[in-house]
Amino acid sequence: MKNIKQVPPSLLDGVDNSLSLKTGTIGGLALSVIPNLTSADVLKTIVLAFVGAVVSFTVTLLLKHFTAKKK
């Protein structure tokens, strides 16, 4: 018979992981973040996301071009 190792109790065994806890955490986060957002922050985020998408797309095209097998 093989020796079976006992798993030590986890630190998270007693943590409540219910839906109401998750909902409360997300709700509290949203209510603390939303009032601190300004239109300038939102606009800056949109511009940076656009620039990041364009750069990612361009790099992908360049890598495909350089790594493509020539016929």
XYZ file of all heavy atoms in Angstrom:
522
model
N 0.835 -1.173 0.000
C 0.000 0.000 0.000
C 0.883 1.240 0.000
O 1.890 1.306 0.701
C -0.870 -0.013 1.257
C -2.081 0.828 1.115
S -3.363 0.270 2.223
C -3.371 1.564 3.386
N 0.495 2.234 -0.794
C 1.287 3.453 -0.899
C 1.013 4.368 0.294
O -0.079 4.370 0.859
C 0.942 4.207 -2.172
C 1.347 3.476 -3.423
C 1.027 4.321 -4.636
C 1.446 3.591 -5.892
N 1.147 4.361 -7.084
N 2.041 5.134 0.628
C 1.866 6.125 1.679
C 1.096 7.317 1.112
O 1.460 7.872 0.083
C 3.218 6.603 2.204
C 3.937 5.513 2.971
O 3.302 4.582 3.454
N 5.243 5.622 3.076
N 0.054 7.704 1.785
C -0.746 8.852 1.356
C -0.387 10.030 2.238
O -0.475 9.954 3.463
C -2.248 8.542 1.455
C -2.600 7.374 0.530
C -3.063 9.771 1.100
C -4.025 6.902 0.655
N 0.049 11.121 1.588
C 0.411 12.310 2.347
C -0.854 13.097 2.682
O -1.738 13.250 1.860
C 1.345 13.207 1.536
C 2.686 12.583 1.272
C 3.568 13.542 0.504
C 4.909 12.916 0.218
N 5.770 13.803 -0.558
N -0.898 13.577 3.899
C -2.014 14.422 4.283
C -1.726 15.851 3.858
O -0.613 16.354 4.039
C -2.238 14.375 5.786
C -2.919 13.119 6.259
C -3.292 13.233 7.728
O -2.686 14.000 8.460
N -4.292 12.467 8.126
N -2.726 16.470 3.279
C -2.586 17.854 2.841
C -2.867 18.752 4.037
O -3.895 18.605 4.700
C -3.575 18.162 1.692
C -3.467 19.599 1.259
C -3.331 17.215 0.536
N -1.956 19.688 4.314
C -2.212 20.593 5.450
C -3.398 21.505 5.144
O -3.679 21.806 3.992
C -0.911 21.396 5.556
C -0.250 21.255 4.238
C -0.698 19.965 3.660
N -4.099 21.918 6.175
C -5.246 22.797 5.936
C -4.800 24.112 5.301
O -3.762 24.662 5.629
C -5.834 23.026 7.329
C -4.771 22.632 8.280
C -3.884 21.652 7.578
N -5.593 24.567 4.385
C -5.280 25.799 3.663
C -5.647 27.008 4.513
O -6.527 26.949 5.375
C -6.064 25.844 2.349
O -5.881 27.081 1.717
N -4.980 28.100 4.239
C -5.307 29.341 4.939
C -6.676 29.871 4.525
O -7.288 30.647 5.230
C -4.242 30.401 4.647
C -2.852 30.133 5.205
C -1.878 31.198 4.708
C -2.878 30.115 6.709
N -7.144 29.448 3.338
C -8.408 29.956 2.821
C -9.593 29.053 3.139
O -10.687 29.277 2.635
C -8.296 30.138 1.298
C -7.240 31.133 0.838
C -7.182 31.173 -0.687
C -7.523 32.510 1.376
N -9.390 28.028 3.964
C -10.484 27.104 4.275
C -11.657 27.793 4.960
O -12.799 27.462 4.712
C -9.990 25.947 5.146
C -9.259 24.905 4.335
O -9.372 24.925 3.091
O -8.570 24.069 4.940
N -11.409 28.762 5.794
C -12.484 29.415 6.530
C -13.008 30.677 5.880
O -13.840 31.368 6.446
N -12.568 30.983 4.650
C -12.974 32.222 3.998
C -14.325 32.027 3.325
O -14.556 31.035 2.640
C -11.919 32.653 2.955
C -12.388 33.854 2.166
C -10.615 32.954 3.642
N -15.216 32.987 3.534
C -16.534 32.965 2.888
C -16.364 33.366 1.425
O -15.863 34.431 1.123
C -17.473 33.932 3.604
C -18.863 33.924 3.009
O -19.207 32.953 2.306
O -19.616 34.887 3.257
N -16.760 32.495 0.508
C -16.582 32.742 -0.913
C -17.946 32.760 -1.609
O -18.102 32.233 -2.691
C -15.680 31.663 -1.521
C -15.114 32.094 -2.854
O -15.192 33.252 -3.218
N -14.555 31.145 -3.579
N -18.926 33.379 -0.977
C -20.274 33.351 -1.509
C -20.490 34.454 -2.536
O -19.690 35.377 -2.689
C -21.280 33.522 -0.373
O -21.106 34.789 0.224
N -21.604 34.353 -3.252
C -21.948 35.330 -4.273
C -22.185 36.711 -3.665
O -21.798 37.725 -4.244
C -23.183 34.869 -5.048
C -23.660 35.774 -6.174
C -22.565 35.917 -7.230
C -24.919 35.224 -6.799
N -22.782 36.759 -2.481
C -23.052 38.053 -1.863
C -21.749 38.766 -1.475
O -21.668 39.988 -1.562
C -23.952 37.887 -0.638
O -23.310 37.114 0.346
N -20.747 38.011 -1.093
C -19.454 38.616 -0.769
C -18.806 39.189 -2.022
O -18.295 40.313 -2.017
C -18.528 37.588 -0.122
C -17.115 38.072 0.199
C -17.160 39.156 1.258
C -16.261 36.918 0.656
N -18.845 38.424 -3.117
C -18.274 38.908 -4.379
C -19.019 40.136 -4.876
O -18.409 41.115 -5.326
C -18.324 37.806 -5.434
C -17.410 36.639 -5.132
C -17.567 35.548 -6.167
C -16.751 34.327 -5.802
N -16.937 33.235 -6.751
N -20.355 40.106 -4.803
C -21.167 41.237 -5.250
C -20.873 42.477 -4.416
O -20.734 43.581 -4.954
C -22.658 40.879 -5.160
O -22.899 39.688 -5.893
C -23.521 41.983 -5.713
N -20.761 42.315 -3.131
C -20.460 43.441 -2.255
C -19.085 44.022 -2.510
O -18.898 45.247 -2.487
N -18.128 43.161 -2.772
C -16.773 43.625 -3.053
C -16.722 44.411 -4.354
O -16.140 45.497 -4.422
C -15.802 42.428 -3.129
O -15.861 41.719 -1.894
C -14.387 42.880 -3.393
N -17.343 43.869 -5.406
C -17.353 44.565 -6.701
C -18.145 45.865 -6.607
O -17.741 46.895 -7.150
C -17.919 43.636 -7.792
C -16.947 42.484 -8.037
C -18.180 44.392 -9.083
C -17.482 41.392 -8.925
N -19.267 45.843 -5.901
C -20.066 47.055 -5.729
C -19.309 48.132 -4.972
O -19.342 49.316 -5.341
N -18.625 47.755 -3.927
C -17.837 48.720 -3.160
C -16.700 49.300 -3.971
O -16.417 50.498 -3.904
N -16.058 48.458 -4.755
C -14.986 48.937 -5.626
C -15.525 49.929 -6.642
O -14.941 50.997 -6.852
C -14.324 47.755 -6.341
C -13.223 48.105 -7.327
C -12.009 48.649 -6.587
C -12.831 46.890 -8.135
N -16.643 49.591 -7.275
C -17.233 50.475 -8.278
C -17.649 51.812 -7.653
O -17.394 52.878 -8.221
C -18.438 49.807 -8.935
N -18.275 51.763 -6.491
C -18.728 53.000 -5.850
C -17.568 53.859 -5.356
O -17.730 55.065 -5.182
C -19.674 52.676 -4.695
C -21.044 52.141 -5.107
C -21.843 51.724 -3.881
C -21.812 53.178 -5.910
N -16.416 53.273 -5.129
C -15.274 54.072 -4.693
C -14.463 54.606 -5.872
O -13.776 55.611 -5.746
C -14.375 53.266 -3.760
O -13.791 52.190 -4.457
N -14.540 53.952 -7.025
C -13.752 54.372 -8.186
C -14.509 55.357 -9.055
O -13.946 56.360 -9.521
C -13.313 53.132 -9.019
C -12.736 53.547 -10.354
C -12.296 52.319 -8.238
N -15.789 55.109 -9.310
C -16.562 55.918 -10.259
C -16.576 57.406 -9.900
O -16.389 58.246 -10.790
C -17.981 55.344 -10.412
C -17.901 54.018 -11.175
C -18.905 56.306 -11.137
C -19.209 53.268 -11.262
N -16.775 57.797 -8.652
C -16.793 59.247 -8.368
C -15.446 59.941 -8.605
O -15.399 61.155 -8.771
C -17.151 59.323 -6.885
C -17.767 58.020 -6.555
C -17.158 57.027 -7.469
N -14.372 59.175 -8.636
C -13.053 59.780 -8.815
C -12.617 59.859 -10.266
O -11.516 60.341 -10.546
C -12.014 58.989 -8.006
C -12.271 59.112 -6.523
O -12.600 60.171 -6.024
N -12.154 58.002 -5.819
N -13.423 59.344 -11.185
C -13.083 59.407 -12.604
C -13.489 60.757 -13.182
O -14.586 61.239 -12.933
C -13.797 58.299 -13.387
C -13.304 56.881 -13.175
C -14.148 55.922 -13.989
C -11.856 56.745 -13.568
N -12.594 61.319 -13.957
C -12.920 62.564 -14.650
C -12.992 62.281 -16.140
O -12.520 61.258 -16.624
C -11.848 63.636 -14.391
O -10.611 63.179 -14.923
C -11.692 63.915 -12.907
N -13.601 63.204 -16.876
C -13.721 63.008 -18.319
C -12.339 63.002 -18.972
O -12.129 62.338 -19.991
C -14.609 64.088 -18.929
O -14.088 65.371 -18.656
N -11.383 63.726 -18.403
C -10.025 63.729 -18.950
C -9.385 62.349 -18.803
O -8.687 61.882 -19.715
C -9.176 64.778 -18.242
N -9.630 61.685 -17.680
C -9.100 60.332 -17.475
C -9.699 59.357 -18.482
O -8.995 58.515 -19.034
C -9.391 59.844 -16.060
C -8.599 60.583 -15.003
O -7.517 61.108 -15.339
O -9.059 60.621 -13.848
N -10.995 59.468 -18.704
C -11.665 58.571 -19.642
C -11.152 58.815 -21.055
O -10.856 57.874 -21.795
C -13.199 58.746 -19.566
C -13.892 57.937 -20.641
C -13.712 58.363 -18.186
N -11.006 60.073 -21.439
C -10.504 60.406 -22.775
C -9.073 59.912 -22.953
O -8.728 59.341 -23.990
C -10.571 61.919 -23.008
C -10.120 62.400 -24.368
C -11.020 61.840 -25.464
C -10.121 63.907 -24.424
N -8.238 60.103 -21.944
C -6.854 59.637 -22.016
C -6.804 58.112 -22.154
O -6.007 57.582 -22.927
C -6.074 60.082 -20.769
C -4.620 59.686 -20.819
C -3.738 60.310 -19.745
C -4.261 60.279 -18.372
N -3.296 60.693 -17.349
N -7.666 57.412 -21.433
C -7.720 55.960 -21.520
C -8.132 55.506 -22.916
O -7.561 54.565 -23.475
C -8.700 55.393 -20.478
O -8.270 55.808 -19.178
C -8.770 53.893 -20.539
N -9.116 56.193 -23.513
C -9.565 55.849 -24.864
C -8.442 56.063 -25.871
O -8.187 55.214 -26.727
C -10.821 56.658 -25.231
C -12.005 56.202 -24.380
C -11.145 56.538 -26.715
C -13.234 57.093 -24.487
N -7.740 57.198 -25.771
C -6.649 57.493 -26.704
C -5.514 56.482 -26.545
O -4.984 55.963 -27.539
C -6.132 58.943 -26.498
C -4.846 59.189 -27.255
C -7.205 59.942 -26.902
N -5.143 56.171 -25.323
C -4.065 55.200 -25.097
C -4.451 53.804 -25.567
O -3.612 53.070 -26.108
C -3.674 55.178 -23.618
C -2.909 56.407 -23.121
C -2.706 56.326 -21.604
C -1.590 56.543 -23.827
N -5.711 53.427 -25.396
C -6.164 52.120 -25.878
C -6.104 52.069 -27.401
O -5.693 51.057 -27.988
C -7.586 51.840 -25.393
N -6.489 53.156 -28.058
C -6.434 53.219 -29.518
C -4.992 53.118 -30.011
O -4.686 52.355 -30.925
C -7.085 54.514 -30.019
C -7.023 54.672 -31.510
C -7.871 53.954 -32.331
C -6.112 55.541 -32.089
C -7.817 54.087 -33.705
C -6.043 55.690 -33.463
C -6.898 54.955 -34.275
N -4.104 53.879 -29.392
C -2.689 53.844 -29.786
C -2.119 52.447 -29.556
O -1.405 51.905 -30.412
C -1.880 54.913 -29.016
C -0.385 54.729 -29.204
C -2.304 56.305 -29.451
N -2.433 51.835 -28.449
C -1.950 50.490 -28.163
C -2.459 49.471 -29.176
O -1.719 48.581 -29.612
N -3.715 49.595 -29.589
C -4.275 48.674 -30.576
C -3.604 48.844 -31.929
O -3.299 47.860 -32.611
C -5.784 48.886 -30.691
N -3.364 50.103 -32.325
C -2.711 50.363 -33.613
C -1.282 49.822 -33.604
O -0.839 49.179 -34.565
C -2.739 51.873 -33.945
C -1.849 52.193 -35.134
C -4.164 52.324 -34.210
N -0.554 50.058 -32.537
C 0.824 49.565 -32.439
C 0.843 48.033 -32.446
O 1.665 47.422 -33.152
C 1.517 50.120 -31.177
C 2.828 49.421 -30.906
C 1.728 51.615 -31.309
N -0.052 47.417 -31.714
C -0.111 45.957 -31.679
C -0.420 45.385 -33.057
O 0.210 44.417 -33.499
C -1.181 45.514 -30.678
O -1.326 44.119 -30.680
N -1.374 45.973 -33.748
C -1.729 45.515 -35.088
C -0.557 45.687 -36.049
O -0.246 44.784 -36.835
C -2.955 46.295 -35.588
C -3.431 45.859 -36.937
C -4.080 44.648 -37.107
C -3.231 46.666 -38.045
C -4.523 44.251 -38.352
C -3.661 46.276 -39.296
C -4.319 45.063 -39.449
N 0.128 46.822 -35.983
C 1.260 47.085 -36.872
C 2.408 46.107 -36.615
O 2.993 45.569 -37.558
C 1.749 48.542 -36.687
O 0.645 49.423 -36.883
C 2.848 48.885 -37.652
N 2.716 45.871 -35.362
C 3.791 44.937 -35.029
C 3.429 43.533 -35.496
O 4.279 42.803 -36.023
C 4.093 44.971 -33.515
C 4.996 43.825 -33.107
C 4.725 46.301 -33.134
N 2.170 43.140 -35.348
C 1.736 41.822 -35.814
C 1.919 41.691 -37.319
O 2.418 40.673 -37.816
C 0.266 41.580 -35.437
O 0.125 41.665 -34.021
C -0.204 40.220 -35.915
N 1.524 42.711 -38.071
C 1.697 42.672 -39.524
C 3.174 42.605 -39.901
O 3.554 41.847 -40.803
C 1.051 43.894 -40.175
C -0.477 43.907 -40.215
C -0.969 45.193 -40.875
C -1.017 42.702 -40.945
N 4.016 43.384 -39.228
C 5.445 43.359 -39.527
C 6.061 41.994 -39.214
O 6.865 41.472 -39.995
C 6.171 44.456 -38.743
C 5.948 45.882 -39.230
C 6.559 46.878 -38.247
C 6.541 46.065 -40.615
N 5.685 41.409 -38.093
C 6.221 40.093 -37.738
C 5.755 39.026 -38.731
O 6.524 38.148 -39.106
C 5.815 39.713 -36.325
C 6.527 40.474 -35.219
C 5.922 40.121 -33.859
C 8.013 40.188 -35.239
N 4.497 39.108 -39.190
C 4.024 38.158 -40.195
C 4.804 38.331 -41.499
O 5.134 37.357 -42.160
C 2.525 38.365 -40.449
C 1.638 37.727 -39.431
C 0.178 37.872 -39.834
C -0.710 37.225 -38.819
N -2.138 37.319 -39.196
N 5.057 39.574 -41.837
C 5.797 39.854 -43.075
C 7.224 39.306 -43.010
O 7.713 38.717 -43.960
C 5.826 41.373 -43.341
C 6.641 41.756 -44.534
N 6.229 41.521 -45.822
C 7.862 42.357 -44.615
C 7.164 41.958 -46.653
N 8.151 42.480 -45.956
N 7.885 39.502 -41.876
C 9.277 39.072 -41.750
C 9.424 37.570 -41.537
O 10.458 36.998 -41.862
C 9.972 39.816 -40.619
C 10.227 41.269 -40.917
C 9.881 42.248 -40.014
C 10.810 41.659 -42.118
C 10.105 43.591 -40.280
C 11.038 42.993 -42.397
C 10.695 43.957 -41.480
N 8.400 36.925 -40.994
C 8.515 35.502 -40.711
C 7.828 34.620 -41.754
O 7.895 33.403 -41.660
C 7.943 35.168 -39.327
O 6.562 35.545 -39.292
C 8.712 35.872 -38.233
N 7.183 35.224 -42.745
C 6.491 34.435 -43.776
C 7.498 33.735 -44.662
O 8.553 34.274 -44.991
C 5.586 35.348 -44.593
N 7.160 32.524 -45.041
C 8.032 31.770 -45.955
C 7.844 32.325 -47.366
O 6.718 32.545 -47.819
C 7.678 30.296 -45.935
C 8.001 29.622 -44.636
C 7.659 28.145 -44.708
C 7.986 27.470 -43.389
N 7.650 26.057 -43.420
N 8.944 32.526 -48.032
C 8.874 33.023 -49.396
C 8.734 31.834 -50.350
O 9.421 30.834 -50.208
C 10.130 33.840 -49.735
C 10.192 35.092 -48.897
C 11.368 35.948 -49.287
C 11.395 37.189 -48.406
N 12.489 38.067 -48.739
N 7.863 31.977 -51.324
C 7.629 30.889 -52.285
C 8.544 30.999 -53.470
O 8.970 31.960 -53.931
C 6.177 30.913 -52.763
C 5.236 30.551 -51.650
C 3.815 30.503 -52.147
C 2.864 30.085 -51.039
N 1.517 29.995 -51.475
